[in-house]
């Protein structure tokens, strides 16, 4: 999502020119360290899995194999073909009375070796199977015989009980694309936006790069791809995120919204209690690997490595780069309310605190009349400051207020109890949603701890939201957690008729611990400067959120088109109408088909999309012509999307080549030009991954409304969208008020018009009419309450729905 801004901000500085074809110690050392980090992670995961009994496999499988061998031996059969006798001969001779013990030990050793060999064979076979990507290139809804055979074999070799990390050791490594193919695809992607003269010059630079530097840089990447888990992901994390010196707020973080039309309870402490309890239930399932691995299109498992750092994680500022600190466990959350910080324990001697007990703790904080200490109220603005500034101040803060800082950074996550309401209102529905988005993305600049992996924000009217730090993982990971949280706190935990959490308060609970900060004068000055910068950055962001309710995924499917490609091509039309020109478009997609894969860029502004846009603006073009061009643009986008997902994208390969050139001090004008490009339009789709948790047909309002991020360019847009059920698409648009070229509301209107114009091509020129009631007053429904659901004319859900 917000990675586009970070990618644009990445500026490696080459210091010399030349094409020296000699091995370089710095780059070899970096490749060695990448592999070393990979192997350390593998060993750590192996040990954790071994302790939890899930790897190499269940102990019961070993016991079954050992028992079968013992039974065969008892029946005077030798399944080892003489190997057990050889093993017995190698064992020490403890005397005649221990002869039977030697036989048992020999059988155990043989069973262990056979068990390990079988598991290793299964993993290798599964890795070979998962390296097949032919199914991805097939038309949607069609499955060839080879793919059916492949899918059957994958299911056989996967076993019956799959856990979150079951596939990790069988996932293939991300391939390094051919450098010639990457350059060709790059030139194809920039052709629609460059003049003939500029394109010819870029082609010359590209050919010079292929002739002089490409083969050497590619050799290093090939070497790294064999040694490390992933040839690009660790460099992407370090150079794009951790070495970025920009403030995290707006530039890097992103937000996730609550239900759009529904608030299960207006009681702030109750909503916080249920949400925190649901998040900790998710962490418990995560630790036990009880979360099912994500399967793309229900067939292909995705990498689960990013799930490891959801909780107990903080991005620590440093010079020249930050680092990610992850704790094995944390039994408290850090809470912010009216400028004060609290430490709230999440466990008692009997285990996890109940939602009602957590509500009680949060209510105590809300009722606490004590004021904030001087400058404490604005302390968190430091996490919204440039990273070098925050790193310097934190070194002093670590000495002056070590315990308080540790309580915040060592928390499972951060909770902000906001003093203001948020969400959809009757008086001004559009403005209220826009304000809701701004509050989640930036807040007031001092009421979020932006370094934490995520901040749970609970508004005074019970509305929820997340502010997520981006370096540790990408949006689908936090989105998966957020779906579970909303479904659990609303459907499974629920609320009583008066809006409180179910259960009874606990009188023996200790009071939440107030954190005290001893802030010297020099830190107070830094806080004031950081707050001023945060307010400037926050005040400059222009957010617009609107649900498009004329049609959704079901209509697009009836047109036999990809829903994502449909939206992306329509966005090209909308942006052209807004700016009068075509531009580089950043669409994020995932590469989690591979071990430790993260993201790749789909360059959605294609020649085919431009041809369609020109046809839509040409009054002489007929509807059949426009429809044919639209289908060609959709097909091209689908081809680019599938290539990116299968490791054949453009931007991550060029990024990694650029990193190697930096280590080699090998200047490339072509790579310099590539990484000086701006992305005036950055887009992302929020995936709905656990539709089974929600009953979108009976209760269409109980679906997350997605989230958004800041623009990647000072004169550009950030556009995120989510398909809410079958008939609604919610868009989140951001831009900067300081730009005279952008206006989030103006682009929103162009998006709506573009979608309707495209849809009319498939309805004999008729624009679809809204299926939903549009933006009206948000309603509140309690589990067991009596407020009606506005669309269905029925009560809010009173029992778990498909949970």
């Amino acid at each position: 999502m917000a990675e586009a801004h970070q990618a644009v901000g990445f500026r490696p500085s080459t210091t010399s020119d030349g094409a020296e074809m000699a091995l370089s110690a710095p780059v070899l050392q970096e490749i060695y360290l990448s592999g070393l980090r990979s192997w350390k992670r593998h060993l750590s995961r192996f040990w954790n899995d071994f302790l939890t009994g899930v790897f190499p496999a269940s102990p019961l499988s070993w016991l079954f194999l050992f028992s079968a061998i013992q039974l065969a031996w008892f029946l005077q059969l030798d399944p080892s073909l003489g190997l057990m006798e050889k093993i017995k001969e190698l064992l020490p001779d403890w005397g005649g009375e221990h002869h039977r013990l030697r036989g048992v030990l020999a059988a155990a050793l043989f069973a262990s070796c056979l068990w390990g060999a079988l598991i290793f064979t299964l993993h290798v076979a599964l890795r070979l199977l998962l390296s097949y990507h032919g199914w991805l290139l097939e038309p949607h809804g069609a499955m060839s015989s080879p793919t059916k055979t492949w899918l059957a074999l994958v299911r056989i070799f996967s076993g019956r009980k799959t856990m979150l990390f079951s596939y990790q050791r069988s996932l293939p490594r991300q391939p390094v694309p051919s450098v010639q193919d990457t350059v060709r695809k790059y030139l194809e992607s920039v052709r629609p936006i460059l003049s003939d003269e500029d394109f010819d010059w870029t082609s010359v630079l590209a050919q010079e790069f292929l002739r002089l530097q490409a083969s050497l840089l590619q050799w290093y990447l090939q070497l790294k791809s064999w040694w490390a888990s992933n040839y690009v992901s660790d460099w992407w994390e370090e150079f794009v995120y951790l070495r970025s010196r920009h403030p995290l707020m707006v530039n890097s973080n992103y937000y996730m919204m609550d239900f759009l039309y529904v608030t299960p309870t207006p009681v702030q402490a109750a909503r916080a209690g249920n949400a925190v309890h649901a998040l900790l239930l998710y962490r418990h399932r995560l630790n036990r690997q009880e979360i099912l691995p994500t399967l793309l299109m229900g067939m292909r498992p995705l990498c689960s490595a990013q799930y490891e750092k959801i909780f107990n994680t903080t991005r620590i500022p440093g010079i020249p780069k930050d680092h990610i600190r992850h704790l094995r466990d944390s039994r408290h959350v850090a809470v912010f309310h009216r400028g004060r910080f609290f430490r709230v324990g999440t466990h008692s001697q009997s285990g996890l605190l109940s939602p009602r007990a957590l509500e009680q703790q949060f209510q105590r904080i809300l009722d606490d009349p004590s004021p904030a200490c001087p400058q404490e109220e604005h302390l968190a603005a430091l996490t919204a400051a440039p990273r070098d500034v925050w790193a310097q101040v934190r070194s002093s803060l670590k000495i002056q207020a070590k315990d308080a800082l540790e309580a915040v950074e060592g928390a499972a996550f951060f909770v902000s109890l906001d003093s203001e309401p948020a969400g959809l209102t009757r008086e001004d529905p559009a403005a209220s949603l826009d304000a809701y988005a701004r509050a989640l993305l930036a807040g007031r600049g001092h009421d979020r701890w932006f370094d934490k992996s995520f901040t749970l924000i609970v508004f005074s009217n019970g509305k929820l939201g997340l502010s997520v730090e981006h370096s540790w993982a990408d949006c689908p990971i936090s989105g998966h957690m957020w779906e579970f949280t909303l479904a659990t706190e609303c459907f499974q935990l629920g609320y009583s008729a008066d809006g409180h959490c179910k259960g009874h308060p606990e009188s023996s609970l200790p009071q939440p611990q107030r954190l005290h900060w001893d802030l010297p004068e020099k830190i107070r000055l830094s806080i004031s400067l950081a707050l001023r910068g945060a307010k400037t950055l926050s005040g400059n962001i222009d957010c617009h959120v609107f649900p498009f309710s004329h049609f959704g995924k079901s209509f697009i499917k009836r047109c036999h088109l990809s829903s994502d490609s449909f939206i992306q091509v329509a966005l090209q039309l909308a942006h052209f109408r807004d700016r009068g020109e075509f531009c580089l478009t950043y669409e994020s997609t995932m590469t989690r088909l591979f071990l430790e894969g993260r993201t790749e860029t789909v360059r959605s502004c294609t020649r085919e999309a431009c041809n369609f846009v020109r046809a839509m603006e040409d009054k002489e073009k007929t509807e059949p012509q426009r429809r044919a061009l639209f289908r060609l643009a959709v097909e091209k986008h689908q081809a680019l999307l599938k290539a990116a997902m299968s490791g054949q994208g453009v931007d991550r390969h060029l990024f990694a080549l650029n990193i190697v050139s930096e280590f080699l001090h090998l200047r490339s004008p072509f790579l310099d030009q590539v990484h000086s490009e701006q992305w005036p339009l950055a887009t992302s789709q929020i995936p709905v991954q656990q539709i089974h948790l929600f009953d979108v047909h009976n209760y269409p309002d109980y679906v997350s409304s997605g989230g958004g991020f800041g623009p990647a360019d000072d004169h550009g847009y950030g556009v995120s969208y989510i398909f809410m059920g079958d008939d609604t698409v919610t868009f989140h648009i951001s831009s900067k008020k300081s730009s005279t070229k952008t206006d989030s509301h103006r682009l929103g209107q162009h998006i709506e018009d573009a979608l309707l114009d495209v849809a009319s091509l498939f309805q004999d020129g008729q624009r679809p009419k809204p299926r939903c009631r549009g933006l009206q007053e948000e309603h509140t429904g309690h589990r067991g309450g009596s407020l009606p659901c506005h669309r269905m004319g029925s009560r809010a859900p009173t029992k778990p729905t498909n949970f």
Side-chain angles (χ1 to χ4, degrees), residues 348-545:
S348 65
Q349 292 182 348
S350 57
L352 178 62
L353 291 182
S354 68
R356 190 67 180 89
L358 289 168
E359 176 190 348
Q360 180 181 344
Q361 295 293 71
F362 293 127
Q363 191 61 53
R364 287 174 174 177
I365 293 175
L366 293 172
D367 295 339
D368 187 339
S370 62
C373 297
Q375 294 298 319
E376 178 189 17
E377 178 181 4
H378 302 140
L379 175 66
L382 290 169
T383 65
R387 301 307 288 174
D388 286 344
V389 173
W390 173 214
Q392 293 172 355
V393 176
R394 183 183 174 277
S395 62
S396 300
L397 195 63
K398 192 175 181 181
I399 299 173
Q400 300 290 336
K402 180 179 179 181
D403 293 341
L405 184 64
E406 177 59 29
V408 173
E409 294 183 343
F413 51 90
F414 196 77
V415 180
S416 179
L417 299 176
D418 207 294
S419 301
E420 300 294 329
L424 190 63
T425 62
R426 179 195 296 269
E427 293 77 18
D428 196 343
S432 63
L433 281 181
D434 298 348
Y436 182 21
R438 283 194 301 272
L440 293 176
L441 184 61
R444 288 184 289 276
H446 66 270
D447 49 359
R448 318 279 185 256
W449 199 271
F450 290 102
D451 289 356
K452 290 301 292 181
S453 56
F454 67 90
T455 295
L456 173 68
I457 304 160
V458 189
F459 295 94
S460 61
N461 60 345
K463 211 67 184 169
L464 285 181
L466 284 185
S467 173
V468 187
E469 201 280 311
H470 208 322
S471 64
W472 60 274
D474 301 309
C475 177
I477 307 302
S478 54
H480 190 279
M481 174 194 69
W482 191 232
E483 290 173 2
F484 176 91
T485 301
L486 292 179
T488 301
E489 66 96 12
C490 184
F491 300 142
Q492 188 181 55
L493 301 177
Y495 301 90
S496 60
D498 57 0
H500 290 280
C501 296
K502 294 183 176 181
H504 302 283
E506 297 182 18
S507 57
S508 60
L509 278 179
Q511 290 285 335
Q513 178 187 350
R514 174 77 183 273
L515 301 180
H516 298 283
W517 307 82
D518 183 11
L519 304 177
E521 190 63 34
K522 62 178 182 179
I523 289 183
R524 296 179 183 180
L525 177 61
S526 298
I527 292 174
S528 298
L529 294 175
L531 179 62
R532 185 185 308 170
K535 285 186 175 180
T536 300
L537 192 58
S538 174
N540 192 30
I541 194 71
D542 181 26
C543 293
H544 180 46
V545 179

Side-chain angles (χ1 to χ4, degrees), residues 37 194 200 212 250 261 289 349 442 556 582 636 675 783:
R37 290 190 293 266
L194 294 180
D200 290 341
L212 295 179
V250 176
Y261 297 110
Q289 299 193 31
Q349 292 182 348
I556 299 174
F582 298 107
K636 178 62 176 181
H675 289 282
R783 173 115 176 252

Side-chain angles (χ1 to χ4, degrees), residues 620-650:
E620 295 183 359
K621 295 292 184 180
T622 64
E623 283 197 0
Q625 290 175 319
R626 292 170 175 172
R627 187 163 55 245
L629 289 172
F630 181 78
R631 288 193 179 277
L632 288 176
V634 166
E635 291 171 3
K636 178 62 176 181
H637 180 268
Q638 273 287 289
L640 292 178
L641 178 65
K642 291 177 179 180
M645 291 172 59
S646 58
Q648 299 302 313
V650 172

Side-chain angles (χ1 to χ4, degrees), residues 7-18 183 186 190 201-202 205-206 208-210 213 217 584 603 651 653-679:
V8 170
F10 164 68
R11 292 287 186 273
S13 56
T14 52
T15 58
S16 63
D17 193 6
V183 171
Y186 170 80
V190 298
W201 174 245
T202 302
L205 294 180
E208 181 182 2
F209 167 72
L210 289 175
Q213 298 109 354
L217 304 183
L584 275 178
R603 294 176 167 240
D651 288 273
H653 187 202
L654 292 176
F655 162 80
L657 290 169
N658 203 12
I659 295 297
V660 176
S661 72
E662 168 69 6
F663 281 118
L664 292 174
H665 303 294
L666 190 63
R667 184 176 178 273
S668 167
F670 172 71
L671 293 179
D672 289 346
Q673 176 170 315
V674 169
H675 289 282
S676 66
E677 293 173 336
Q678 299 297 312
W679 300 93

Side-chain angles (χ1 to χ4, degrees), residues 536-733:
T536 300
L537 192 58
S538 174
N540 192 30
I541 194 71
D542 181 26
C543 293
H544 180 46
V545 179
F546 72 96
F548 177 83
S549 54
H550 293 74
F551 63 87
K553 184 179 293 186
S554 60
F555 169 80
I556 299 174
K557 286 183 177 179
R558 289 198 298 272
C559 298
H560 305 289
L561 296 167
S562 161
S563 54
D564 180 62
S565 298
F566 187 102
I567 299 295
Q568 285 292 330
V569 177
L571 286 178
Q572 292 300 315
L573 176 60
H575 186 270
F576 183 83
R577 289 174 173 175
D578 182 80
R579 297 285 292 271
E581 61 183 7
F582 298 107
C583 71
L584 275 178
T585 303
Y586 188 110
E587 182 193 1
S588 176
T589 191
M590 60 86 191
T591 54
R592 289 169 57 208
L593 291 171
F594 307 102
L595 182 62
E596 297 185 10
R598 289 200 60 162
T599 61
E600 178 58 275
T601 305
V602 179
R603 294 176 167 240
S604 302
C605 183
T606 62
R607 181 180 57 186
E608 289 79 4
C610 294
N611 290 339
F612 164 72
V613 170
R614 292 190 186 98
M616 289 296 290
E617 301 301 281
D618 185 353
K619 295 181 179 180
E620 295 183 359
K621 295 292 184 180
T622 64
E623 283 197 0
Q625 290 175 319
R626 292 170 175 172
R627 187 163 55 245
L629 289 172
F630 181 78
R631 288 193 179 277
L632 288 176
V634 166
E635 291 171 3
K636 178 62 176 181
H637 180 268
Q638 273 287 289
L640 292 178
L641 178 65
K642 291 177 179 180
M645 291 172 59
S646 58
Q648 299 302 313
V650 172
D651 288 273
R652 297 303 175 268
H653 187 202
L654 292 176
F655 162 80
L657 290 169
N658 203 12
I659 295 297
V660 176
S661 72
E662 168 69 6
F663 281 118
L664 292 174
H665 303 294
L666 190 63
R667 184 176 178 273
S668 167
F670 172 71
L671 293 179
D672 289 346
Q673 176 170 315
V674 169
H675 289 282
S676 66
E677 293 173 336
Q678 299 297 312
W679 300 93
L681 182 58
T683 69
S684 178
Q685 180 190 168
I686 307 292
V688 179
Q689 304 169 77
Q690 303 170 91
I691 195 65
H692 63 280
L693 297 183
F694 306 93
D695 187 347
V696 295
H697 298 290
N698 294 322
Y699 302 103
D701 298 334
Y702 288 81
V703 181
S704 170
S705 47
F709 53 94
D713 182 69
D714 289 340
H715 300 287
Y717 292 105
V719 180
S720 174
Y721 51 96
I722 183 172
F723 291 94
M724 296 175 58
D726 290 331
D727 300 314
T728 303
V729 189
T730 298
F731 288 88
H732 299 253
I733 306 171

Side-chain angles (χ1 to χ4, degrees), residues 37-220:
R37 290 190 293 266
S38 299
W39 287 107
K40 285 182 177 179
R41 286 193 298 269
H42 292 328
L43 290 175
S44 176
R45 290 169 189 159
F46 172 84
W47 183 243
N48 290 337
D49 291 351
F50 180 79
L51 292 178
T52 55
V54 299
F55 186 81
S58 169
L60 289 177
S61 62
W62 179 89
L63 184 61
F64 174 80
L65 183 61
F66 174 72
S67 300
I69 292 173
Q70 285 290 86
L71 178 62
W73 191 262
F74 177 77
L75 297 175
Q76 296 185 345
L77 299 175
D78 185 5
S80 69
L81 303 178
L83 285 177
M84 284 195 294
E85 287 294 337
K86 295 287 185 182
I87 295 174
K88 283 176 63 177
E89 293 176 2
L90 296 175
L91 292 174
D93 188 358
W94 295 302
E97 64 274 10
H98 297 291
H99 180 74
R100 184 172 181 80
L101 177 60
R102 292 176 67 197
V104 173
L105 288 175
L109 288 172
F110 174 74
S112 299
C113 293
L114 181 60
W115 186 59
L118 289 173
I119 292 168
F120 177 77
T121 302
L122 289 174
H123 283 174
V124 170
L126 187 56
R127 175 173 292 189
L128 292 174
L129 287 170
L130 296 182
S131 299
Y132 169 73
H133 296 134
W135 60 274
L136 191 61
L137 304 178
E138 293 179 354
H140 185 67
M143 187 180 294
S144 64
S145 297
T147 297
K148 291 179 180 178
T149 304
W150 167 81
L151 180 58
L153 290 173
V154 168
R155 289 174 175 169
I156 291 172
F157 283 94
S158 297
R160 292 185 301 171
K161 184 181 179 182
T162 56
M163 306 181 77
L164 180 61
F165 299 121
S166 293
Y167 295 102
Q168 288 303 100
R169 292 166 186 83
S170 300
L171 291 174
R173 302 190 182 205
Q174 186 167 337
V176 181
S178 161
V179 69
Q180 289 80 10
D181 286 345
T182 296
V183 171
R184 176 183 56 78
K185 292 176 182 178
Y186 170 80
L187 292 175
E188 180 184 347
S189 73
V190 298
R191 185 65 189 92
I193 63 171
L194 294 180
S195 65
D196 292 342
E197 182 180 355
D198 290 341
F199 180 75
D200 290 341
W201 174 245
T202 302
S203 299
V204 170
L205 294 180
Q207 293 305 316
E208 181 182 2
F209 167 72
L210 289 175
R211 182 171 58 86
L212 295 179
Q213 298 109 354
S215 59
L216 177 63
L217 304 183
Q218 182 80 348
W219 183 86
Y220 281 107

